[in-house]
Amino acid sequence: MLAGCSDGTPSKTTAVKPPARPHPHRHAVRPTSIATRALGLPPVHSRVVPGYILIADRNNNRALIVSPSKQVVWQKGGLNDPDDAFFTPGYRSIITNEEFNDTLTEVSLRGRRAIWSYGHAGVAGSSPGYLNTPDDAYRLPNGQTVVADIQNCRIVFLYRSGKVARILGGSCAHDPPRGFDSPNGDTPLPDGGLLVTEIGGWIDRIAANGSLLWSIRSPVAYPSDAQLLPNGRVLVASFTSPGRIVIVDRQGRVTWSFGAASGPDSLDKPSLAVRWPNGMIVANDDYNHRVIVINPRTKQIVWQYGHTGVLGTAPGYLNKPDGLDLLPAAVVPAPKRGPLRPAPKLHLHVQRVGSLPQPVSKLAVVALPGGRILALGGLVGGSSSTEVLLGPPSRLRAAGRLPVPTHDAGAALAGRSAYLFGGGEAVSTPAVVRVDPTTGAARRAGSLGEPLSDLGAATIGGTAYLVGGYTGTRYATAVLRFRPGRPPALVTRLPAGLRYAGVAALGGRIYVAGGLTTAGPSRAVYAIDLAAGTVTRVATLPTPLDHVALAALGSRLLLVGGGSRTVLAIDPARRTVRTAGTLPQALTDPAAVSLGGSVYVLGGGTADVLRLR
């Protein structure tokens, strides 16, 4: 807690003020779905199709949403050659690229009207405002739109204002990220990177900073819209006749394949295949005028919309469907009572790998590319620090100074820079400080709008999110999205005001463990779904804990601190919490960060840097 934070001084802004009368069931687990919130559609109980399917019906110049029972529940006509269609984050609109019209269009779901566009209709070009056969337009969590600009051999990132944010490529040869051989896919990845597909026969994984992580030669001719699977393999369609859908490993070897030379399993230029959360594979079979769902285990088509080889406009018919997306509609189940299922045992190894200049607590830490860490501020000997430490965990060195002494702040990457949020010395501050991750130079870069300390921060898809904290007058409930140059935006709210909690990102969600409420320390572990704006309780700690740190290790989260030596492993998928290891000594207010397949724990009242793996 910052000294003087309870002076009763009112905040000058109400941007993150909690509602006076929160709905009593706002954060309860309810039998609802994303489709219900987006369009008022009922939940579905199909084991094959876990929601409603958005289809870009290209040659009919329309987009459809159909139910598992094959009823059209939403339609937007008047589009111009819609090639793909994807839901935007939050499921309030769809965005489609009109490939041969050289334009992008965003359409609101509720109003069915165009609310954003880019490009000049029917006019190809490469200068700002122009595209040349755009493909795969996605709205990213940070608000930018990314599109594969095929004939310009580049990937373009656009601000909502229409200004170009950045460009990858431009050379029409396979030389990622400097050049791409006719890119037709740019699938966003959970880590903020992209999976780029080149018609010339390559599949490239691009990091969030634009660098190349790896590239594989496609084993199929004319690869289209590759998708990265959770196991690291790649699902890709071959836009050929007859076509194939394959899964390949990092060496380009085919490990699964679907498509026959003739008969009902024969594909005619499939352009996109996606694996759903239930394991089914859904695909556009473009020139067969159908969308199909394949059981990958039996290699059987188990659902189809459209009549094979027959085009049409009537219900049940399509004309060259070229894009699809899922509007999830599974019912969110109530948590089962009773004993938790045991998780596989985690053999945690704890090792001291380095030291800080002096014992510290309440410092903010960010993991950087290249195996480095940025450690900012903290509480040293009862006083706030201005120190900026930079380097690998075993060799952290002083690299700069913060504008003012700070502890109890949050820190996260946003784009290519690190940012320190709030904190303070004697009182909470609204300051936002930008820190150069290369040099450690720090400067003031804006304001949160009101004082905030004791908060958590995490990064997903290049965007920073701030969770909870203390404003100087109240415990904060807000989950805020931060983008450089803009005021923080409210995403959702926690069930109660919370500070000194563990906050970390895992699998595209933010998790919050423990923390201090006005009623005392918490045992709750929450998952925040940023797209849906929901907060769900997924686990319970064995004892209430606050002044803790949280970081991801594989599919689990490690919780440390709270005045304890115990390391807890939280498995969100199994909803379990169990002891995973023991630290050399009890820690309070440590910092923890995921880096290179390990978790590093810094400070917490000591000068130790510990590695947990």
Side-chain angles (χ1 to χ4, degrees):
M1 175 178 177
L2 296 174
C5 284
S6 56
D7 60 4
T9 304
S11 169
K12 293 184 179 180
T13 176
T14 58
V16 293
K17 184 178 180 180
R21 293 186 177 182
H23 193 283
H25 303 298
R26 179 183 178 112
H27 300 284
V29 180
R30 300 170 293 167
T32 187
S33 71
I34 291 174
T36 303
R37 292 189 292 271
L39 283 172
L41 298 171
V44 301
H45 303 279
S46 169
R47 293 186 177 182
V48 175
V49 183
Y52 298 82
I53 305 179
L54 170 65
I55 303 172
D57 193 11
R58 180 168 181 162
N59 283 4
N60 281 328
N61 295 316
R62 65 184 181 180
L64 309 173
I65 298 179
V66 300
S67 70
S69 61
K70 304 178 185 179
Q71 302 298 310
V72 176
V73 298
W74 184 93
Q75 182 171 178
K76 168 60 179 175
L79 300 175
N80 196 325
D81 189 41
D83 178 67
D84 287 290
F86 300 108
F87 291 104
T88 60
Y91 296 90
R92 295 182 179 89
S93 61
I94 65 170
I95 190 163
T96 179
N97 53 280
E98 299 166 322
E99 183 174 353
F100 295 110
N101 197 43
D102 301 305
T103 50
L104 312 179
T105 299
E106 181 182 358
V107 176
S108 63
L109 277 183
R110 292 281 185 174
R112 293 182 174 86
R113 61 185 181 88
I115 56 176
W116 182 84
S117 64
Y118 184 86
H120 290 69
V123 182
S126 59
S127 57
Y130 290 84
L131 299 167
N132 192 342
T133 57
D135 207 346
D136 265 25
Y138 291 91
R139 177 66 48 75
L140 302 176
N142 66 3
Q144 294 179 15
T145 300
V146 63
V147 61
D149 196 11
I150 299 177
Q151 295 296 325
N152 285 323
C153 303
R154 63 186 186 177
I155 307 297
V156 182
F157 295 78
L158 303 167
Y159 292 115
R160 192 166 178 84
S161 65
K163 183 180 178 181
V164 175
R166 65 171 170 158
I167 293 175
L168 301 177
S171 167
C172 292
H174 171 67
D175 185 25
R178 292 169 291 275
F180 300 99
D181 190 354
S182 302
N184 69 354
D186 57 340
T187 307
L189 302 178
D191 63 3
L194 300 174
L195 193 66
V196 175
T197 312
E198 301 179 57
I199 296 173
W202 294 90
I203 300 168
D204 316 308
R205 182 166 184 176
I206 306 297
N209 64 4
S211 62
L212 176 68
L213 295 178
W214 49 256
S215 185
I216 60 176
R217 185 70 171 169
S218 170
V220 297
Y222 207 129
S224 180
D225 298 4
Q227 308 289 308
L228 187 65
L229 300 179
N231 62 6
R233 296 185 178 181
V234 174
L235 175 67
V236 62
S238 178
F239 191 69
T240 54
S241 183
R244 293 172 69 198
I245 298 170
V246 300
I247 295 176
V248 300
D249 62 19
R250 283 279 303 278
Q251 287 69 47
R253 296 184 296 242
V254 175
T255 62
W256 182 90
S257 179
F258 180 87
S262 61
D265 292 347
S266 176
L267 305 175
D268 195 353
K269 295 187 176 180
S271 64
L272 171 64
V274 177
R275 192 174 83 169
W276 280 338
N278 64 359
M280 297 294 174
I281 292 176
V282 58
N284 297 312
D285 192 8
D286 297 30
Y287 283 75
N288 269 331
H289 311 295
R290 63 179 181 170
V291 171
I292 57 175
V293 177
I294 305 160
N295 183 326
R297 183 178 60 84
T298 64
K299 293 189 177 181
Q300 292 182 328
I301 296 175
V302 293
W303 187 93
Q304 175 173 319
Y305 187 85
H307 295 255
T308 306
V310 182
L311 61 86
T313 60
Y317 288 83
L318 300 169
N319 188 346
K320 195 183 174 186
D322 206 359
L324 61 86
D325 201 0
L326 178 69
L327 182 61
V331 174
V332 179
K336 295 181 180 180
R337 297 187 180 275
L340 298 170
R341 291 183 297 159
K345 189 174 181 180
L346 180 63
H347 301 282
L348 193 65
H349 177 65
V350 180
Q351 177 186 12
R352 184 180 181 276
V353 295
S355 63
L356 304 168
Q358 49 198 327
V360 63
S361 62
K362 301 186 177 183
L363 78 166
V365 178
V366 178
L368 302 175
R372 297 174 303 136
I373 283 178
L374 190 64
L376 308 169
L379 196 63
V380 178
S383 299
S384 293
S385 170
T386 61
E387 196 156 47
V388 175
L389 302 176
L390 179 63
S394 60
R395 298 190 306 275
L396 286 169
R397 298 291 183 268
R401 292 286 179 183
L402 299 174
V404 296
T406 303
H407 70 278
D408 274 334
L413 287 176
R416 298 185 179 183
S417 296
Y419 288 85
L420 187 72
F421 304 100
E425 185 175 19
V427 295
S428 302
T429 174
V432 176
V433 175
R434 179 186 177 276
V435 184
D436 188 316
T438 303
T439 65
R443 62 176 178 81
R444 183 75 178 260
S447 172
L448 295 173
E450 69 174 348
L452 194 64
S453 63
D454 315 341
L455 67 155
T459 300
I460 293 181
T463 298
Y465 294 89
L466 314 182
V467 180
Y470 183 62
T471 70
T473 59
R474 63 179 183 275
Y475 289 33
T477 61
V479 178
L480 303 173
R481 178 173 56 244
F482 171 83
R483 293 171 182 153
R486 305 184 191 180
L490 179 66
V491 177
T492 188
R493 291 192 182 277
L494 302 171
L498 192 66
R499 57 198 292 201
Y500 298 125
V503 175
L506 176 64
R509 294 188 174 189
I510 292 176
Y511 291 89
V512 185
L516 183 65
T517 72
T518 54
S522 171
R523 297 178 62 195
V525 180
Y526 294 107
I528 302 172
D529 187 323
L530 299 168
T534 58
V535 180
T536 306
R537 184 163 180 166
V538 295
T540 300
L541 303 177
T543 58
L545 288 172
D546 56 14
H547 295 270
V548 290
L550 188 70
L553 182 65
S555 62
R556 304 186 225 200
L557 299 149
L558 299 186
L559 186 71
V560 296
S564 171
R565 295 178 60 196
T566 301
V567 181
L568 295 177
I570 302 167
D571 190 330
R574 292 180 175 83
R575 297 174 175 256
T576 61
V577 183
R578 62 185 303 172
T579 299
T582 303
L583 302 175
Q585 66 184 83
L587 301 179
T588 300
D589 289 309
V593 66
S594 301
L595 183 68
S598 298
V599 167
Y600 291 90
V601 178
L602 291 78
T606 78
D608 291 341
V609 178
L610 304 175
R611 180 180 182 181
L612 282 55
R613 59 175 175 168

